[in-house]
Amino acid sequence: MPSSNSGFQRLSQTALSRSRFLRLAAGALLPIIGVRPSVAQNAGAPATRDTAAPGRAGAILVSQFGPVKIHSYLSPADGFHVNTQMIEGPTAIVIFDGQLLLPYADEVASYVQTLGKPVDRIILSHAHTDHWSGLQVLTERFPNARVFALDGVADQLRARGQARLDSFRPIYGDRIATKVTIPTETITEGLQRIDGITYDFRRFVDAESDLQLAALLPAQKVLMAFDLVFSPNEHAFTLVDHFDHWMIILEQLKALLGYDTITIGHDTPVHRSAIDSTISYVKRAKQIHAASADAKTYSESLKAAFPDRQHAEWVDLSARLLYAAPLKAHL
Ligand SMILES: [Zn+2]
């Protein structure tokens, strides 16, 4: 397994031009660059503690809800600042999402092992590569854990997963998966108890991705929204023209009263007010998209509309994909 720190060196040593890097990343449909994950939390997030460990590149926050703990691993920036959520119940761990880069998935696995409980299952939230490439490591480290996803996700990975990995290889080399990990089990929607914890699984289409899982923990009043909700501190990905439907979904999430804590696909947990700020963002993005003839205009206008949000480069990437129609490249 390569060193956790080799990614930054690799990126700088390869000296990719910004445009080539964007093109490669766009081909893989993923955000790029950013900052090392901050353990500073979003306003309104639950009490958490950072479990910093020497040599670990990612950051881990732990939130406790009675007997249930949610451990959130945040990758460094070159791993797209993506989360893996580990839900610790009385006797087992359920892992959501598998990281982009293998070293970070390995950090997740090593951390899970310190919890001293078996991995019951691994659940993939959607088919964007930054959420599943590292499943290769997790399934190697936890061979008894079955991999679940919504019906349709496995087909998406079979169809396009290897091409996505291949598009990342010039950037990340051996830090990206060598094979696609296809989920073998289908998540059924609705209520389900796993290790004594009640989950309410929801299926959404045509938002940030074309097929997205959300998971509610009704007893803990936690909404795991993945890439449906973004931090008010960061730009959201607007990769495809699903603005209207995405806003409808966000209104549905807003109607889930009492869910004050939301874990998201990128960055630390947010308060439910992040639903409103995501709606505002998507609404503005829709207006700008309607008024912008090309990617450059869209990108510049959206960045100007939200000057305080981080990861302006995510807007550049979104604009490239959004204006690459009819490219159905949002996997
Ligand atoms: Zn994502």
Side-chain angles (χ1 to χ4, degrees), residues 106-261:
D106 203 50
E107 290 191 339
V108 169
S110 295
Y111 178 78
V112 168
Q113 286 183 327
T114 68
L115 301 176
K117 297 174 183 175
V119 176
D120 175 276
R121 70 192 68 190
I122 300 166
I123 298 174
L124 175 61
S125 70
H126 64 295
H128 285 172
T129 316
D130 52 341
H131 297 256
W132 63 259
S133 162
L135 291 180
Q136 178 173 345
V137 165
L138 295 183
T139 52
E140 285 168 3
R141 297 277 301 265
F142 306 110
N144 295 325
R146 294 170 297 164
V147 180
F148 287 72
L150 289 170
D151 188 28
V153 169
D155 287 342
Q156 291 178 331
L157 295 188
R158 266 187 219 100
R160 285 165 283 192
Q162 190 60 51
R164 297 303 178 222
L165 294 181
D166 292 346
S167 70
F168 270 110
R169 190 113 25 233
I171 305 172
Y172 291 112
D174 60 3
R175 304 175 82 217
I176 201 80
T178 54
K179 67 181 179 63
V180 182
T181 305
I182 307 288
T184 54
E185 312 282 337
T186 300
I187 293 178
T188 50
E189 290 179 78
L191 294 171
Q192 201 173 141
R193 271 179 90 76
I194 304 170
D195 191 28
I197 301 168
T198 299
Y199 293 83
D200 185 355
F201 293 114
R202 307 284 178 99
R203 178 183 190 273
F204 294 100
V205 299
D206 294 347
E208 188 261 358
S209 64
D210 53 0
L211 183 54
Q212 173 72 63
L213 176 77
L216 283 65
L217 277 63
Q220 289 73 33
K221 285 285 183 277
V222 172
L223 165 60
M224 302 175 73
F226 302 100
D227 286 7
L228 292 173
V229 176
F230 280 77
S231 165
N233 304 321
E234 297 184 344
H235 285 283
F237 300 114
T238 51
L239 309 173
V240 283
D241 184 8
H242 291 325
F243 303 108
D244 284 324
H245 199 251
W246 190 355
M247 285 189 279
I248 289 170
I249 291 169
L250 288 165
E251 292 291 347
Q252 292 170 354
L253 296 183
K254 205 172 152 184
L256 298 168
L257 297 177
Y259 287 85
D260 290 334
T261 300

